[in-house]
Amino acid sequence: MSAPDRDDSIFSQLEAFGHKKVVYCSDPDTGLKAIIAIHDTTLGPALGGTRMWAYKTESDALQDVLRLSKSMTYKASIAGLNLGGGKAVIIGDSHRDKSEALLRKFGRFIKNLNGEFITAEDVGTNPRDMEYIRMETQHVMGVPESIGGSGDPSPITALGVFMGIKACVKELYGNDNLAGRSVIVQGIGHVGEKLVKLLRDENVKVYATDINEDSLGQIAKKYGAEAVSNSKIFEIDADIYAPCALGATINSETIKKLKCGIIAGSANNQLEDEIVDGRMLLEKGILFAPDYVINAGGIINCYSELMGFSKKRTMQLTENIYEATRNVLKLSKCENISTIEAANKIAEKRIADIKKVKSSY
Ligand code: NAD
């Protein structure tokens, strides 16, 4: 049998991920090369950030956008939002290749989707870029507060992670009082710093680490946290590990070293291998709060902006992360499956249930 040509291979990838639509955006005049992936719109319009990254190959860009858009479907579903999952990637160096014209052209591609896809900022894009996209289409969230947007989502994301930590503590210790517990916060950027504050306000012992030693020293001093070296974190005997920097920090090597009973942080895709590492954590008795369940604050912020921003509603939806995490932990325990498998099951069930509602009279 002959090898599949490039088109066949793209279609088979779409089928494997279960995507509804993928749009290739090309404009030689502005240098725009982008891919918009719409994974599922059962619950509502597909919402997802636009990432700008210098991918080595177009195939890498496609893989990334397919993977990321699928996880947005699950994140929106489990957060109880009426949103589907989507994502966009612009191929290029965000420092060198970005321009107003490129972003506005990209905005026109989004406009042509008539609201099926709504975007927001992500790695390599910022609120100013969203303003340019907004000049061509209304289907963009996360614009600055000064022009009616919801602004920086990090405080909301940190609050969601904090609620996720509380839910795990309740499961493990019988009550969700955090005073006297200890947490390692890895990465004290936008989300991590806010999380350190929330934890310190509840008298939690915080070990903070970051590759940026200057800001680590300053933030540790500001909140009364203990600064630790990144290479030492797995030696610390803390109750909770909160990864708030990069993905894939949890793998077969680090799981062997972990001394904590709970992992709950904001970083996306914390497990190097969802299936293998998820099961390993289950067997070791470490409670893992799936990242997409507890870091949904960003998408909640955008949803709230879409619905006509209300601080109160945003807070309510974010506080619901406590219950969502509890449900995941309960199902994991009841069916002896990893927490990530439990989360996926809950997210998929909601979509399947609503699909039935929409197909009936
Ligand atoms: P950020 O860039 O502001 O902060 C990341 C911090 O991690 C930086 O201070 C950086 O120096 C540090 N860091 C990088 N590599 C490190 C390493 N190897 N060890 C220790 N520290 C390291 O990012 P952020 O907005 O705070 O987001 C943090 C994580 O949460 C990211 O994975 C992001 O995708 C995810 N997330 C963020 C939001 C949000 O609202 N900002 C929403 C959902 C998910």
Side-chain angles (χ1 to χ4, degrees):
M1 202 184 2
S2 61
D5 63 22
R6 194 167 180 84
D7 269 2
D8 282 343
S9 120
I10 290 174
F11 279 113
S12 58
Q13 284 186 71
L14 302 194
E15 212 178 299
F17 279 96
H19 278 72
K20 180 179 174 188
K21 190 185 280 185
V22 173
V23 180
Y24 279 74
C25 318
S26 167
D27 181 55
D29 289 342
T30 59
L32 175 71
K33 277 187 188 171
I35 312 174
I36 300 171
I38 298 174
H39 178 254
D40 193 284
T41 53
T42 306
L43 300 174
L47 191 142
T50 293
R51 177 167 291 194
M52 185 159 186
W53 195 255
Y55 292 98
K56 281 204 182 104
T57 66
E58 288 168 16
S59 168
D60 288 352
L62 179 65
Q63 275 290 319
D64 208 27
V65 79
L66 294 181
R67 185 179 59 83
L68 292 165
S69 51
K70 183 172 181 180
S71 68
M72 290 306 290
T73 298
Y74 283 68
K75 188 182 287 207
S77 173
I78 208 152
L81 309 178
N82 287 327
L83 288 175
K87 200 87 183 183
V89 293
I90 299 177
I91 302 171
D93 181 328
S94 63
H95 300 291
R96 198 191 55 205
D97 303 328
K98 211 190 271 177
S99 67
E100 177 185 348
L102 179 144
L103 290 160
R104 291 183 67 165
K105 191 75 200 181
F106 177 62
R108 294 197 75 82
F109 277 97
I110 296 177
K111 183 183 164 88
N112 287 341
L113 288 165
N114 296 316
E116 198 177 15
F117 175 67
I118 301 166
T119 202
E121 70 173 288
D122 199 81
V123 177
T125 58
N126 56 44
R128 180 75 185 123
D129 300 334
M130 298 306 116
E131 274 188 78
Y132 287 134
I133 295 173
R134 173 66 71 90
M135 289 173 192
E136 303 299 330
T137 174
Q138 288 299 306
H139 303 302
V140 52
M141 299 295 128
V143 292
E145 280 173 292
S146 56
I147 57 165
S150 55
D152 178 12
S154 310
I156 301 296
T157 303
L159 177 64
V161 172
F162 182 73
M163 299 315 294
I165 289 176
K166 271 187 168 288
C168 292
V169 167
K170 166 90 177 157
E171 181 74 18
L172 206 59
Y173 301 104
N175 70 68
D176 61 18
N177 184 5
L178 296 185
R181 302 265 163 233
S182 52
V183 182
I184 302 165
V185 181
Q186 182 185 35
I188 42 167
H190 289 97
V191 179
E193 179 179 350
K194 315 277 181 330
L195 180 62
V196 170
K197 180 176 185 331
L198 289 168
L199 293 168
R200 289 297 298 135
D201 286 350
E202 291 239 344
N203 285 323
V204 173
K205 161 86 185 161
V206 175
Y207 299 94
T209 186
D210 200 290
I211 47 169
N212 182 336
E213 289 185 4
D214 289 342
S215 73
L216 173 61
Q218 281 166 22
I219 290 170
K221 194 168 167 209
K222 184 171 169 190
Y223 299 105
E226 184 175 331
V228 292
S229 150
N230 208 23
S231 60
K232 296 269 187 302
I233 56 168
F234 296 114
E235 292 167 23
I236 298 168
D237 203 356
D239 300 312
I240 300 145
Y241 164 47
C244 297
L246 306 171
T249 60
I250 302 156
N251 51 53
S252 49
E253 283 312 303
T254 55
I255 293 172
K256 280 184 210 146
K257 296 183 200 161
L258 279 173
K259 296 190 172 123
C260 62
I262 293 168
I263 302 172
S266 73
N268 281 313
N269 306 315
Q270 290 165 29
L271 303 183
E272 198 172 281
D273 182 316
E274 262 195 17
I275 306 294
V276 174
D277 301 329
R279 284 222 69 88
M280 214 170 153
L281 290 169
L282 179 72
E283 279 153 22
K284 206 175 163 185
I286 297 176
L287 278 188
F288 171 64
D291 38 72
Y292 75 76
V293 179
I294 70 167
N295 74 9
I299 192 176
I300 288 173
N301 220 38
C302 288
Y303 183 68
S304 180
E305 185 176 332
L306 188 65
M307 297 290 144
F309 191 68
S310 144
K311 187 97 191 153
K312 195 172 165 204
R313 185 71 186 129
T314 311
M315 298 304 270
Q316 279 169 348
L317 287 168
T318 309
E319 281 161 12
N320 289 349
I321 288 176
Y322 181 89
E323 230 20 74
T325 311
R326 297 269 303 138
N327 291 338
V328 167
L329 300 180
K330 270 187 222 157
L331 185 65
S332 157
K333 196 172 172 182
C334 177
E335 296 195 3
N336 193 31
I337 54 176
S338 71
T339 53
I340 194 92
E341 287 168 309
N344 291 349
K345 262 188 140 176
I346 294 172
E348 283 164 7
K349 182 175 184 311
R350 178 168 178 243
I351 295 168
D353 287 350
I354 303 305
K355 201 169 256 169
K356 281 183 221 146
V357 172
K358 292 198 171 179
S359 64
S360 60
Y361 292 104

